[in-house]
Amino acid sequence: MPRIQTKCFGEVDYSPDAVFRFPYGMPGFEAEHAFLFLEQPGTHPLIFMQSVCSPDVCFILLPVLAADPDYKLRLAEEDLAALHLPTGGQPRIGKDVLCGVLVCAGSEERPHPTANMLAPIVVNLKRQIGIQAIQTQAEYSYRHPLIAQDPSPELLACS
């Protein structure tokens, strides 16, 4: 069984059948074409998208429907073709494709974590091919807040 060294999870054994191919890489990481999707105890529903070739490259994903239960995925014809999906319709999240959004941790400028709803990671579950698909709908943002900006007093009392 192959093994990779990762920055965050140490050594990880994996099956070659668990590798997902990204033929175009990821924006800013065009040389990264092979990823594993890892889940870690205590971090549900987060998914870690770990590069097979580069130990330091690991993206944090959140299933898109966990961030927005009403999310509407709209893939362009070229995205459908890249994913080897039939054209003329849209895939179903959770049935035909895995759809996750990249999570960006909070910072001084943005104290709360955000999710990139504008460019989700979309994976054909049957063919294990993935892309980052830029959505054209104006209602989505690349900085979608994951925590309410002004939490209610009830939420504050529970934390």
Side-chain angles (χ1 to χ4, degrees), residues 8-123:
C8 298
F9 309 113
E11 287 189 334
V12 174
D13 292 327
Y14 69 95
S15 165
D17 295 338
V19 176
F20 285 77
R21 303 282 172 210
F22 283 69
Y24 308 115
M26 296 275 293
F29 299 88
E30 287 81 6
E32 301 295 331
H33 296 279
F35 290 91
L36 296 172
F37 289 93
L38 305 173
E39 294 183 85
Q40 295 296 307
T43 63
H44 183 77
L46 296 177
I47 302 166
F48 299 90
M49 189 172 132
Q50 174 66 53
S51 167
V52 172
C53 298
S54 301
D56 291 344
V57 177
C58 183
F59 300 100
I60 301 171
L61 299 179
L62 181 65
V64 71
L65 297 179
D68 179 355
D70 297 320
Y71 189 82
K72 302 291 185 240
L73 178 64
R74 304 256 192 275
L75 295 179
E77 294 292 319
E78 57 267 16
D79 292 337
L80 291 167
L83 290 166
H84 298 266
L85 291 168
T87 58
Q90 291 296 313
R92 297 165 296 167
I93 297 172
K95 300 274 186 205
D96 306 312
V97 295
L98 165 74
C99 185
V101 291
L102 293 167
V103 174
C104 182
S107 65
E108 285 186 25
E109 305 102 44
R110 292 181 331 271
H112 300 293
T114 60
N116 183 347
M117 305 288 280
L118 192 60
I121 304 301
V122 183
V123 176

Side-chain angles (χ1 to χ4, degrees), residues 106-159:
S107 65
E108 285 186 25
E109 305 102 44
R110 292 181 331 271
H112 300 293
T114 60
N116 183 347
M117 305 288 280
L118 192 60
I121 304 301
V122 183
V123 176
N124 178 331
L125 294 170
K126 291 180 181 148
R127 303 290 291 273
Q128 292 184 250
I129 298 171
I131 62 170
Q132 186 170 17
I134 298 173
Q135 301 294 283
T136 56
Q137 300 93 307
E139 68 263 21
Y140 295 123
S141 166
Y142 69 97
R143 286 190 178 166
H144 179 81
L146 291 177
I147 297 176
Q149 297 297 330
D150 295 314
S152 68
E154 296 82 19
L155 288 175
L156 291 174
C158 294
S159 49

